């Protein structure tokens, strides 16, 4: 996977004149040309990656990256306009909606896992998450050790990588955990806040965002030792190399011209609407390495 990006970019001599290698008229670039519209899937309750502002307008780090990609595709294809349609999705629906053509890109918190490459493609990594635990501060649980929750309930986002991490460690270490699936980040936190779950497992940025938005953030403790890390990338349809090359080219340009770094500062180190929450989460060294050498790989060794 690491070598696919330069090969694809080299083959993309001109996005505006490249014909789809799929069946005639069936490629996503042809679809954008004919419809003048691109559909972006996004999670509406996963700040800072995808959420709704005070006016119910979609925004977020991943959402804005995709919006910039859409603008670059419009210019590359020579289109007078390319309308952006935002489609709310969940972890359990994002891949099916990419594959059935309902959305063209998914702009959220998709972990780039090698096994997912059988179903979808990924744009170059633009975030690297640490999977962490969160619990109420007054409880005895060690948020850096899943074993301390032995026999208890843990909330996780249904269909997400964090649910799989919890399940995998639970089975491996025979922890007798009850994994409680929730539809989105907000519901994952609600299960913890209401006492139905002893802890929640989530990616670090999502954990910090939900706790920062709580009535009293000081009531919670978040692990600072990741159970594992996972790179995030914009989801793309599989087996459409021209579309992938065009999207990857746009993302790499944004990485190289500093746009991605500016968006990181905007969403991870500045107040976010509607509540003015500031995650104050500096860019990690592993993300800096990923941006210095863009890759769409799902192999941890490449980070």
């Amino acid at each position: 996977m690491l070598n696919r990006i330069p090969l694809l970019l080299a083959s993309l001599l001109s996005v505006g004149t490249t014909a789809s290698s799929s069946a005639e008229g069936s490629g996503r670039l042809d679809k954008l040309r004919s419809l003048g519209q691109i559909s972006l899937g996004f999670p509406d309750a996963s700040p800072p990656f995808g959420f709704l502002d005070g006016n119910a307008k979609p925004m977020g780090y991943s959402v804005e990256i995709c919006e910039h990609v859409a603008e670059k595709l419009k210019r590359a294809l020579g289109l007078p306009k390319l309308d952006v349609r935002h489609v709310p999705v969940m972890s359990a629906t994002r891949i099916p909606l990419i594959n059935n053509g309902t959305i063209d890109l998914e702009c959220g918190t998709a972990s780039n896992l090698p096994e997912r490459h059988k179903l979808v493609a990924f744009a170059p990594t633009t975030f690297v998450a640490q999977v962490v635990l969160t619990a109420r501060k007054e409880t005895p649980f060690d948020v850096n050790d899943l074993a301390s929750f032995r026999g208890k309930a843990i909330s996780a986002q249904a269909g997400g990588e964090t649910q799989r991490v919890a399940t995998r460690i639970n089975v491996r270490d025979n922890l007798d955990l009850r994994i409680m699936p929730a539809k989105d980040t907000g519901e994952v936190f609600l299960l913890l806040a209401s006492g139905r779950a002893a802890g929640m497992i989530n990616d670090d940025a999502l954990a910090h965002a939900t706790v920062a938005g709580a009535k009293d953030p000081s009531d919670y403790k978040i692990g600072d030792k990741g159970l594992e890390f996972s790179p995030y990338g914009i989801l793309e349809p599989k087996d459409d190399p021209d579309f992938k090359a065009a999207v990857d080219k746009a993302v790499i340009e944004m990485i190289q011209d500093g746009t991605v770094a500016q968006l990181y500062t905007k969403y991870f180190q500045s107040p976010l609407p509607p509540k003015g929450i500031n995650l104050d989460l500096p860019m990690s060294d592993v993300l800096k390495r990923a941006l210095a050498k863009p890759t769409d790989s799902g192999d941890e060794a490449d980070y």
Side-chain angles (χ1 to χ4, degrees):
M1 287 299 296
L2 189 60
N3 295 324
R4 289 180 57 198
I5 292 176
L7 291 174
L8 286 169
L9 294 180
S11 70
L12 188 70
L13 300 178
S14 173
V15 174
T17 58
T18 300
S20 174
S21 63
S22 305
E24 290 187 6
S26 65
R28 300 287 173 124
L29 294 180
D30 294 315
K31 176 184 173 183
L32 301 192
R33 289 188 185 99
S34 62
L35 294 181
Q37 175 180 277
I38 186 169
S39 295
L40 306 179
F42 78 103
D44 61 8
S46 295
F49 299 96
F51 59 101
L52 302 176
D53 68 9
N55 298 312
K57 177 185 175 182
M59 66 180 300
Y61 177 70
S62 300
V63 172
E64 199 161 337
I65 288 174
C66 279
E67 290 172 345
H68 279 272
V69 168
E71 179 61 27
K72 286 179 176 291
L73 291 177
K74 183 191 79 172
R75 293 200 300 265
L77 293 168
L79 299 175
K81 69 172 185 175
L82 183 62
D83 294 331
V84 174
R85 173 175 170 254
H86 295 92
V87 181
V89 301
M90 296 181 293
S91 294
T93 63
R94 57 194 176 192
I95 290 178
L97 292 178
I98 279 276
N99 288 336
N100 69 18
T102 300
I103 59 176
D104 299 302
L105 297 171
E106 195 277 333
C107 320
T109 59
S111 297
N112 187 340
L113 306 173
E115 58 266 30
R116 284 182 172 166
H117 289 241
K118 301 173 184 177
L119 302 172
V120 290
F122 284 84
T125 295
T126 45
F127 187 76
V128 181
Q130 301 283 335
V131 177
V132 296
L133 295 163
T134 303
R136 295 190 66 87
K137 187 167 289 185
E138 74 272 11
T139 62
F141 306 114
D142 181 355
V143 288
N144 287 318
D145 183 8
L146 188 58
S148 73
F149 292 85
R150 184 182 300 273
K152 303 298 183 180
I154 297 289
S155 60
Q157 191 161 325
E161 173 60 9
T162 51
Q163 182 184 25
R164 282 186 283 273
V165 170
T167 301
R168 184 165 58 248
I169 297 175
N170 185 32
V171 172
R172 184 193 69 195
D173 297 343
N174 194 27
L175 299 180
D176 193 29
L177 297 173
R178 182 161 59 94
I179 311 300
M180 300 181 68
K183 68 177 182 179
D184 57 32
T185 303
E187 190 172 284
V188 170
F189 180 69
L190 181 61
L191 291 171
L192 171 63
S194 65
R196 295 176 60 193
M200 74 173 185
I201 185 168
N202 218 326
D203 292 338
D204 51 357
L206 298 176
H208 282 274
T210 52
V211 167
K215 183 177 181 180
D216 190 348
S218 65
D219 285 343
Y220 302 91
K221 52 188 176 181
I222 303 172
D224 55 19
K225 177 183 176 184
L227 303 182
E228 64 178 51
F229 77 81
S230 59
Y232 284 2
I234 304 302
L235 281 185
E236 306 164 323
K238 184 175 171 60
D239 298 329
D240 194 336
D242 291 340
F243 183 68
K244 175 172 174 54
V247 172
D248 288 3
K249 180 175 184 291
V251 172
I252 290 174
E253 287 175 352
M254 292 171 61
I255 291 172
Q256 293 176 340
D257 68 15
T259 300
V260 168
Q262 291 170 8
L263 291 176
Y264 187 94
T265 298
K266 175 179 178 179
Y267 285 101
F268 292 87
Q269 297 180 290
S270 307
L272 297 177
K275 297 181 179 180
I277 295 168
N278 188 341
L279 275 64
D280 194 22
L281 191 65
M283 187 179 290
S284 66
D285 289 340
V286 66
L287 178 54
K288 290 177 182 177
R289 292 196 297 271
L291 297 181
K293 189 178 180 181
T295 177
D296 65 352
S297 174
D299 187 346
E300 286 192 16
D302 292 325
Y303 295 88

